Amino acid sequence: MQFSVLTWCKEAMDSETTGSEGSSGVRIVTRKSLFDKMKNENLRNLEEKLCFLRDHLLTQDNLSESQLNKLKRNFSHFKSEMKQRWIKSHKKEEVFLTNNHLWLEGNFEIPVTTKNRQGRPRKSFGESSERSKRRKTEEIRSNVEDGVIVHAAQVELRKSGKRDASRVLQDITSSPTRATKYKKAFDTSKCGKSSRLTPMEALKMFIDADLTRAQYEVIRNTNKKFFPCYSLIQEAKKKCYPPPETITITSTCAETQLQPLIDIIG
């Protein structure tokens, strides 16, 4: 029977799947399973069976001192309860099982040393899914103001050499409508059929998005082959003016002929 108890303890250890190498875990068994192990022992009385079971529970390998002490305390409590209930049942198994059914179904904890399990490698934040990113940043988003988060991102982008990205982030958060204008300018560039915007198309985008020269230069730096340089936009803008000879300026007013303006639009 010594072999069966040792095998039972080993199975308890092998079936434990939590923790890591060197860390402690707990195997849960019922008091009924302990009783069943004892009653099969060919020993004279309950005291001898309890001592036998205790000795073999304590022979598990690699248990730390604190784990051994915990197991001793657990077993001491179990032993005391077991003896009291056995005596109250007049040392009759049938009576004992009937009167202590609920107690026997209770748990007994056996400390075990678990083995290390190698899990999946931890992904970096950039490699995580959008759902994982939301979960990882939930605490920050809940406890930190939006402005603080944006400013921190802006500073970190600049520190890492991404000055254009830092500048764009600063600009699009400077007013409620600025991000919409940036998006409109970007969408305009994506929808262009040619491989490069004409100066007039770039001027239209510049006006529609209400950009400054500095903002346009930031956008142009993302694709210089697609966006014409700012000087060409200036030239295109000059072509939208009516001819000088059609303009009359005095000390009190400025006038221009209507037809030249219509010709430009046409």
Side-chain angles (χ1 to χ4, degrees), residues 45-106:
N45 53 49
L46 179 65
E47 182 67 28
E48 291 185 1
K49 293 181 180 182
L50 285 169
C51 290
F52 177 82
L53 181 58
R54 176 184 182 276
D55 291 342
H56 285 287
L57 284 173
L58 297 177
T59 59
Q60 297 184 67
D61 295 332
N62 300 322
L63 290 182
S64 65
E65 184 176 352
S66 61
Q67 287 177 307
L68 285 173
N69 290 335
K70 181 178 180 180
L71 182 55
K72 289 177 181 179
R73 289 194 301 269
N74 290 349
F75 191 83
S76 177
H77 181 71
F78 168 79
K79 178 180 178 180
S80 176
E81 283 280 316
M82 180 70 197
K83 291 173 70 173
Q84 292 178 27
R85 293 172 184 272
W86 183 251
I87 292 173
K88 287 182 180 180
S89 302
H90 307 291
K91 301 182 181 181
K92 294 183 178 180
E93 181 179 340
E94 184 177 352
V95 177
F96 174 80
L97 293 175
T98 301
N99 294 343
N100 298 281
H101 173 73
L102 293 178
W103 181 78
L104 289 169
E105 292 303 318

Side-chain angles (χ1 to χ4, degrees), residues 172-180:
I172 63 177
T173 55
S174 62
S175 73
T177 60
R178 182 60 64 186
T180 302

